Amino acid sequence: STLQEAREATLLVHVIDAADPNRRDRIEQVNHVLEQVGAASIPQLEVFNKSDLIGEPPHVERDELDRPRRVWVSAYTGAGTELLVQAIAELLGPAVVHATVTLSPSAGRARARFYAAGAVVAERATATGNTELDVSMPRLALDELFRTEGLDAAAARPVACAPADPFLQSRVPTSSLG
């Protein structure tokens, strides 16, 4: 993908040569380019490859919200690749949020961005003049939209994506338990 398309990403995976003595400078260079193309605010997972060459065991470093921030791996030996897959899955996989968001009349741009993201499932006007949007979107994208639009993330009320119904539960047919 081009650098311009990085602005549309949900997550950037930044692969870093852990054995490079100038890796800090290289990280800064990449982050500078991301800033220039308008992608600096996209969540980033740093992957330190060649950790075996510097004696660093495979592991995951987490941020203050307990989300994966850095993963140390060795592509050569394969060590840590399962941690990388788990980190990406944790950041993207289960992160789809179904919520009701209340917007004031002055939040028209935010409303338009929810629609542009294809996240709006339903819309209602409230008696107080606000708009309620039922949205379904990746958690990272929702957090980013709230941040860039200056919205209060606490205003998003989680909703179930389907009613609790015994019909929806998985069942193993008794005839196959033989």
Side-chain angles (χ1 to χ4, degrees):
S1 83
T2 68
L3 289 173
Q4 305 304 336
E5 290 170 328
R7 290 186 304 224
E8 305 300 319
T10 302
L11 176 69
L12 297 174
V13 178
H14 182 175
V15 180
I16 300 156
D17 182 346
D20 182 350
N22 298 313
R23 72 177 184 231
R24 290 192 198 283
D25 292 336
R26 307 250 190 272
I27 292 169
E28 288 177 17
Q29 290 169 355
V30 168
N31 289 336
H32 180 70
V33 170
L34 291 173
E35 189 174 316
Q36 287 180 323
V37 299
S41 64
I42 305 297
Q44 190 179 127
L45 178 65
E46 294 179 339
V47 180
F48 286 83
N49 187 29
K50 301 182 185 177
S51 64
D52 55 317
L53 296 181
I54 61 169
E56 186 74 37
H59 66 281
V60 176
E61 294 177 19
R62 296 182 170 274
D63 66 13
E64 64 279 353
L65 298 175
D66 199 37
R67 293 179 300 210
R69 174 75 178 110
R70 293 181 183 93
V71 182
W72 294 77
V73 302
S74 169
Y76 180 73
T77 67
T81 54
E82 71 287 346
L83 295 174
L84 175 58
V85 170
Q86 288 170 1
I88 292 171
E90 185 177 333
L91 290 169
L92 295 179
V96 173
V97 176
H98 308 284
T100 299
V101 179
T102 302
L103 300 174
S104 69
S106 63
R109 188 173 97 163
R111 179 182 171 274
R113 288 190 61 202
F114 278 111
Y115 272 97
V120 178
V121 176
E123 178 176 344
R124 293 173 299 286
T126 68
T128 60
N130 290 331
T131 300
E132 285 187 346
L133 299 178
D134 292 337
V135 298
S136 180
M137 63 191 304
R139 165 57 74 187
L140 290 174
L142 179 66
D143 290 347
E144 177 65 13
L145 199 149
F146 269 79
R147 188 186 67 72
T148 58
E149 293 299 322
L151 300 173
D152 180 11
R157 299 182 318 274
V159 295
C161 62
D165 185 332
F167 177 76
L168 297 175
Q169 296 174 359
S170 296
R171 294 187 184 86
V172 176
T174 54
S175 62
S176 67
L177 295 177

